[in-house]
Every structure is written in C-alpha cells, then in structure tokens.
Amino acid sequence: MIAKRTHWLHKLGPGLLFAGAAIGVSHLVQSTRAGADFGFGLIWALVLIHIVKYPFFQIGPRYATATGESLLDGYKKLGNGVLVAYFILNLATMFTIQAAVTIVTAGLAANLFGITTNPVIWSSIITVICFALLVIGKYKLLDSLMKLIIITLTISTIIALIVASINSQTTINYAQILPKGTVEVGFLIAFLGWMPAPLDVSIWQSLWAIEKQKDKTCEFNTQQAIFDFNIGFIGALIIGIFFVALGALVMYHTNETFSNSAVVFSQQLINLYTKTLGDGMYIFIAAAAFTTMFSTTITTLDASPRAMTKTIELLTNNNFKHAYWFWISFLAIGTIAILLFFMSEMGVLIKIATVLSFLTAPFFAIINFILISGKNTPQAWRPTLQFKVLSYIGIVFLIGFSGWYLSSL
C-alpha cells in the first residue's frame, strides 16, 4: 500500500507546478482583497473564470504528451508570426511579473524571518536561493520541492480557515455581487486576469510535461497528464475559495486600507489574521502566505527562461547549449534591477502586466484550441463535443469580457 501511494505521488508533477505558479498574487493578494472588499460576493467570478479557462490550460499537458512536443512547437507550425508575438509579449511582461511575485515574497520573508525589512535585500536573497535551487536540482528538484510546498500550503490554509470560521463574529452573507463602479470593475478585471493564472502558463505546462516524460522512473502518458493537471487545477480553485473566505471572515467590514509597500502590506495581512485568530495562529498564517508566494517565485523563475529558450531555438532553428542559463540569469538580474530602480513604478507595471494577461487571453485560447483540434494531434486526444462547446463558450466569454473592460476605460 505504501509503495502504491509513493508511486502515485511520484507520478504527479506538472499539475502541482501549475498550482505552484497559479497560487500566488492572484490568491494571497487578489483573493484576500476580494473577500475583504466584497465578502463572499465574488465567488461566482472565481468559479466562472476557472470553468472558462479550464480547457485552454488543459490543452498544454494534453497536447505535449499526445504529440511529444510543446505548445511552442505547435505555434511554430502555425507560423513564425505566432512565435514572434509570444516572444514580444513574454519579454514585455516577464520581468514585471517576476518582480511582482518576488517583492510580495520578500515582504512576507521580512515579517517571518526578520533580519532586515529592506524588500530589495530580501528580494535579492530569495532570487539567489531560487536560482541556486534551479541550477543545482533542475526540473527534478523543482518537481519534488513543489509537492512539499503544496502540502504545507494546503494544511496551513485549512487550519487557518477552520479557526477563522470558529472565531468569526461576522454574519455570513453569500449573496453574489456584480461590481459596477470604475474602481470595482477595474479590480474585477485584475482579479480575473491572473486567476488562476494568465493563459500563457499553458505553455509552461506543456514544457514541464515534456520534462516529466524524460523521467523514466514513472510513466507519464496523456491520461496521467490530464489527471495530474486536474489535481493541480482543482487544488488552485479550492485554495482560491479558501483565501476569499479568509478575507471575508477576517477583513470584511474592517475598513482596513492596504499599503502599497510589500513589507507593510504583509505585516497588515498577518496582523489582521492574528488579531482575529489569535497570536498562536501566526506561524500557520505566515507559513501559508510565504509558501504561497515562494512557490510562485521559483516556478516563474524556471518557466519564463524555459519558454524563452525554446522560442529562440524554434525561431533560429538552433539549439543553444547554455540558453536556459542565460535567460534565467537575465531574468534574475533584470528582476533585481527593476526593484532597485523602478520600485516607485511597481504599481503601474503590475497593472500593465495584469491587464495584458487578460487582454491576450483570447489569443492564447484560440491558438491552443486550433492546435489541439488540428491534424498534428492524434485523433484519440482531439476535443470531444463537450470539450469543443466549453472551449467555444470560453473564447466568446474572454473576447466579450475584454471588450467590456476596454469600453469601461
């Protein structure tokens, strides 16, 4: 029995990496703020965006394991223009996204470990640690580390939620809300844009699935890949609901104004939780928050360089031996540079990255659907009628919602 459980856990990988990448700013910051500002009123949006984006994320591991190539290889078959568009978009947002997740992780580390409250110093330390882990252990260590992180995150979050439910004096109102004001609509767009993650993370999924298939100690076929993805995807949804619930139970009607400073925000967040749940819950709240953000920081630091390396190889028809190490070094240095010289503009940069993620979602949704439906995909793994219907609904929703946002500007 133990051997079977170990074997089952060993087969999991890219799906948990998806959860690690997804459960970050969108959950800890955006979901918590959704609960703090709207109570349980935006649960509908959280569930809806997961349903809408599901088929396009699932296409990543499905296509990769069914064809033996990444989505980027598929994009190449559709023309270099698609790859160039992805390259430009990724280059425009990768540093901002990495800086955003790193600075929040740094703020939590400063509150959890002390030493210094300087977010740039902590960001540098975290970046160096993540860089070293990826250089030394590569994908295999990331795969193993993420299992531990997700287990820690899940347990600590569940404990915090149970205690919050017991201690909360708030009357729970499950009425759903449709934001109407400009500020509220803007928040909803940001909330959905990175929830559970930008759609280009499907590309990361396909690259991780290819890496997982190189592990000859376990079988990772298409059926297993979809099961693995579903575990990570459903886990991200459940953790998202947990964080909305925590925000609603602990912060709703507190009139707390959150600081834009990562260190101060982190302290406010932890203080609000411990004020309601008790100082004894500090370690669980801190552990849940820090593991949430650390998992995102290390997975994004691996994924963007991996995607850029593959894109360059496909565009130039050359294999560059040390390209991954160039891109991961470039991203690490660029992230620290942004935090050193553009800290005051971080709010604007993050907003741009978030909005771009949402407005480009229809592009990735359509391209991914074309690939999985095309002749390059084995017939057995092409979309079923139900999958097609869900995909069409998703594409229409993403286009319509993007138009609604643009019209509200």
Side-chain angles (χ1 to χ4, degrees), residues 82-297:
V82 177
L83 270 181
V84 171
Y86 171 72
F87 179 85
I88 294 172
L89 178 64
N90 199 34
L91 189 63
T93 58
M94 60 189 282
F95 296 100
T96 299
I97 291 172
Q98 191 65 40
V101 299
T102 304
I103 196 66
V104 176
T105 310
L108 292 164
N111 284 287
L112 184 59
F113 303 113
I115 303 176
T116 176
T117 58
N118 187 316
V120 176
I121 293 176
W122 263 116
S123 294
S124 301
I125 292 172
I126 290 167
T127 300
V128 169
I129 291 173
C130 292
F131 182 89
L133 288 172
L134 292 172
V135 168
I136 296 169
K138 301 182 181 179
Y139 174 82
K140 187 168 290 188
L141 177 62
L142 182 64
D143 186 8
S144 301
L145 184 63
M146 199 51 55
K147 292 180 175 71
L148 178 62
I149 288 175
I150 294 298
I151 290 171
T152 303
L153 165 64
T154 303
I155 292 173
S156 55
T157 305
I158 289 174
I159 292 173
L161 183 59
I162 291 173
V163 176
S165 301
I166 295 172
N167 292 351
S168 177
Q169 302 299 316
T170 303
T171 300
I172 298 177
N173 183 357
Y174 292 104
Q176 299 302 288
I177 300 169
L178 180 63
K180 295 180 179 179
T182 303
V183 175
E184 288 80 7
V185 170
F187 173 80
L188 182 63
I189 290 292
F191 182 50
L192 299 182
W194 272 3
M195 180 59 71
L199 268 188
D200 54 316
V201 173
S202 61
I203 296 170
W204 304 357
Q205 273 284 102
S206 70
L207 293 168
W208 285 326
I210 296 296
E211 286 297 315
K212 185 67 174 179
Q213 282 192 318
K214 294 178 183 178
D215 182 0
K216 301 305 180 183
T217 62
C218 69
E219 181 183 10
F220 195 71
N221 55 31
T222 305
Q223 184 176 2
Q224 176 62 32
I226 293 174
F227 173 76
D228 166 69
F229 169 73
N230 288 340
I231 293 290
F233 191 82
I234 294 171
L237 171 60
I238 292 172
I239 295 295
I241 293 173
F242 284 174
F243 275 113
V244 171
L246 281 169
L249 292 171
V250 175
M251 301 179 194
Y252 194 42
H253 292 320
T254 62
N255 297 317
E256 180 75 20
T257 301
F258 288 108
S259 170
N260 289 322
S261 163
V263 175
V264 177
F265 169 80
S266 301
Q267 188 62 57
Q268 286 178 307
L269 188 70
I270 294 173
N271 284 347
L272 276 170
Y273 280 132
T274 54
K275 188 191 305 180
T276 302
L277 308 182
D279 291 337
M281 289 299 297
Y282 176 87
I283 189 62
F284 295 104
I285 295 300
F290 181 74
T291 52
T292 295
M293 291 311 307
F294 185 80
S295 68
T296 304
T297 303

Side-chain angles (χ1 to χ4, degrees), residues 56-80:
F56 312 114
F57 280 125
Q58 196 227 71
I59 287 171
R62 177 195 283 249
Y63 181 83
T65 51
T67 64
E69 62 181 31
S70 70
L71 285 177
L72 292 174
D73 292 286
Y75 292 177
K76 170 75 171 179
K77 289 181 170 64
L78 297 177
N80 282 346

